Amino acid sequence: MRLTLITALITLVVDQLTKLLVVHGLNLRARGEIDVFPPYLNFRMAWNEGINFGLLSRQDDLMKWILVAIALAISAAVLWWVHRERPRTAGMIAAGLLVGGAIGNVIDRLVYGAVADFLNMSCCRIENPYAFNVADIAIFLGAAALVLIPADKKAG
């Protein structure tokens, strides 16, 4: 369980630091976009009020609170699962990535009213219109790993 909490904390800190550095430090809020290594990596400011790709995006407080509640409930359920099942190291790290990313996006919703997305990547003449953040990457990797990694318990 401790490894899960440490992973979640590291993920949360990295997510929030990158948002502070890029959104505020580089003033992406006002600039809107910064070409870093076009087209492969660009910073594009996007405020996501919904879930992935802006789904369930609505301009009211109710949806924000519903999404905060869902993220907290999923995080609590994952932590309970780790506590109860005691998965192997990879499972604990995956759970920590998911929880840390989810809490990072919850903080954004509480502070800004929306999730601060800023990473934009395109390749091979395909223009990607969407932006994401470190928390989104951690949530995806954590959830994918929890699904794909065998759920064998630790010995003992």
Side-chain angles (χ1 to χ4, degrees), residues 110-130:
L110 296 176
V111 172
Y112 305 117
V115 174
D117 289 334
F118 61 90
L119 294 170
N120 173 266
M121 301 177 86
S122 296
C123 179
C124 314
R125 296 190 179 125
I126 298 172
E127 183 73 26
N128 175 18
Y130 300 105

Side-chain angles (χ1 to χ4, degrees), residues 8 16-17 34 46 49 73 90 92 94 97 108 112 121-122 126 142 150 155:
Q16 293 297 300
L17 278 177
I34 299 170
E49 296 172 342
M92 288 190 284
L97 288 169
D108 284 11
Y112 305 117
M121 301 177 86
S122 296
I126 298 172

Side-chain angles (χ1 to χ4, degrees), residues 41-103:
L41 176 62
N42 302 297
F43 295 153
R44 302 279 187 263
M45 192 69 239
W47 295 101
N48 188 352
E49 296 172 342
I51 56 174
N52 291 18
F53 308 112
L55 297 172
L56 301 179
S57 185
R58 291 183 18 198
Q59 297 289 333
D60 61 21
D61 261 0
L62 178 62
M63 185 54 70
K64 174 182 85 171
W65 290 110
I66 289 171
L67 293 174
V68 165
I70 289 170
L72 292 175
I74 290 170
S75 296
V78 168
L79 290 174
W80 175 251
W81 173 79
V82 169
H83 174 72
R84 197 180 88 232
E85 296 297 323
R86 300 184 54 184
R88 291 184 180 182
T89 301
M92 288 190 284
I93 291 170
L97 288 169
L98 193 152
V99 170
I103 300 302

Side-chain angles (χ1 to χ4, degrees), residues 133-145:
N133 60 41
V134 171
D136 296 337
I137 297 167
I139 292 167
F140 175 80
L141 291 175

